[in-house]
Amino acid sequence: EAGVTQFPSHSVIEKGQTVTLRCDPISGHDNLYWYRRVMGKEIKFLLHFVKESKQDESGMPNNRFLAERTGGTYSTLKVQPAELEDSGVYFCASSRQGIGTMNTEAFFGQGTRLTVV
Amino acid sequence: GEDVEQSLFLSVREGDSSVINCTYTDSSSTYLYWYKQEPGAGLQLLTYIFSNMDMKQDQRLTVLLNKKDKHLSLRIADTQTGDSAIYFCAETLEGFSGGYNKLIFGAGTRLAVHP
């Protein structure tokens, strides 16, 4: 079974540019999450999809961030326009059932390291 | 509030035990987790404990939970160089739609194992 894959692994862009991150969850996992770790700080929740629907997007920093999950398969996270403070590692995770459900594990991808210069 | 606190760094000698501590704020968390991140890799679930348990042991790992003090610890026995990584404590938190659908992480503890 393939794990959660994220693309690209690294991205360096200039302030004001647009970047799109992609996450391919484990096949059959309805739940998909985006998290971000900025500057060695805590890993912060961004949003949660159940299939193609946004279940909770309370962690999205502002309207420069747009997440989509067309068809309930892979997801993209677009940052437009990027600012310096958007630099960090963006993690995607997927799970068959919601986190906190008994015997449910969230599987994380390796992350995309975004650097805005 | 949504706060999980961890010390940032721990250095131990190979063969010794490591204890990584964490405090959390949400008393209604159902599960508490320990994740490990090795250099260049994603987050790997190490172990978790259900909130009605005090202790869980899994080979070299022992998790202790003190609900009264909202304190979670991870003990690694016979620490090896391969254990060098960042360890993240996390709690579940209720999402908007009900159910526990968020993980709230600490900043991570970097464990360095030296000979």
Side-chain angles (χ1 to χ4, degrees):
Chain A
E1 183 182 70
V4 177
T5 55
Q6 293 186 246
F7 183 83
S9 56
H10 292 85
S11 179
V12 181
I13 61 170
E14 290 185 352
K15 177 182 169 182
Q17 288 186 321
T18 298
V19 63
T20 300
L21 314 181
R22 174 171 169 144
C23 169
D24 285 76
I26 293 172
S27 177
H29 282 193
D30 286 342
N31 293 270
L32 187 149
Y33 308 84
W34 284 98
Y35 287 83
R36 176 174 75 169
R37 188 178 190 223
V38 172
M39 286 287 292
K41 295 188 176 178
E42 66 273 19
I43 300 171
K44 285 201 165 183
F45 169 84
L46 295 178
L47 89 159
H48 170 210
F49 283 100
V50 176
K51 296 185 181 178
E52 67 276 7
S53 299
K54 290 175 187 173
Q55 191 79 356
D56 183 349
E57 52 184 331
S58 61
M60 295 287 263
N62 50 60
N63 60 9
R64 294 186 293 103
F65 288 75
L66 175 64
E68 293 179 321
R69 190 182 183 195
T70 307
T73 54
Y74 69 91
S75 175
T76 57
L77 180 64
K78 183 162 73 173
V79 186
Q80 179 183 32
E83 298 289 345
L84 299 179
E85 64 264 25
D86 300 332
S87 297
V89 181
Y90 289 76
F91 290 103
C92 175
S94 74
S95 61
R96 197 172 293 277
Q97 293 179 284
I99 287 171
T101 308
M102 189 175 287
N103 298 325
T104 294
E105 179 179 349
F107 295 86
F108 281 78
Q110 83 283 6
T112 293
R113 181 174 295 277
L114 174 64
T115 303
V116 183
V117 298
Chain B
E2 302 177 5
D3 263 336
V4 175
E5 304 277 345
Q6 300 179 238
S7 52
L8 294 183
F9 189 74
L10 177 66
S11 178
V12 298
R13 188 160 43 193
E14 193 173 10
D16 287 352
S17 291
S18 308
V19 180
I20 303 172
N21 293 301
C22 167
T23 56
Y24 61 97
T25 54
D26 195 302
S27 57
S28 63
S29 287
T30 52
Y31 289 92
L32 294 123
Y33 303 83
W34 284 104
Y35 280 84
K36 176 183 180 183
Q37 185 187 22
E38 297 183 38
L43 297 170
Q44 173 198 356
L45 178 65
L46 265 186
T47 187
Y48 65 92
I49 188 167
F50 191 50
S51 57
N52 68 354
M53 297 169 65
D54 298 323
M55 185 181 87
K56 180 178 180 181
Q57 187 146 6
D58 185 0
Q59 299 182 344
R60 293 190 297 122
L61 305 178
T62 303
V63 179
L64 295 178
L65 174 60
N66 181 329
K67 280 198 76 173
K68 177 176 166 288
D69 294 337
K70 295 179 190 167
H71 182 265
L72 183 74
S73 68
L74 174 69
R75 178 177 180 270
I76 305 173
D78 186 25
T79 313
Q80 303 298 306
T81 54
D83 295 323
S84 294
I86 302 175
Y87 291 80
F88 292 93
C89 168
E91 62 171 340
T92 46
L93 200 69
E94 188 168 356
F96 266 6
S97 60
Y100 292 88
N101 288 314
K102 282 184 189 179
L103 285 172
I104 305 299
F105 286 90
T109 299
R110 184 178 294 276
L111 174 65
V113 183
H114 56 90

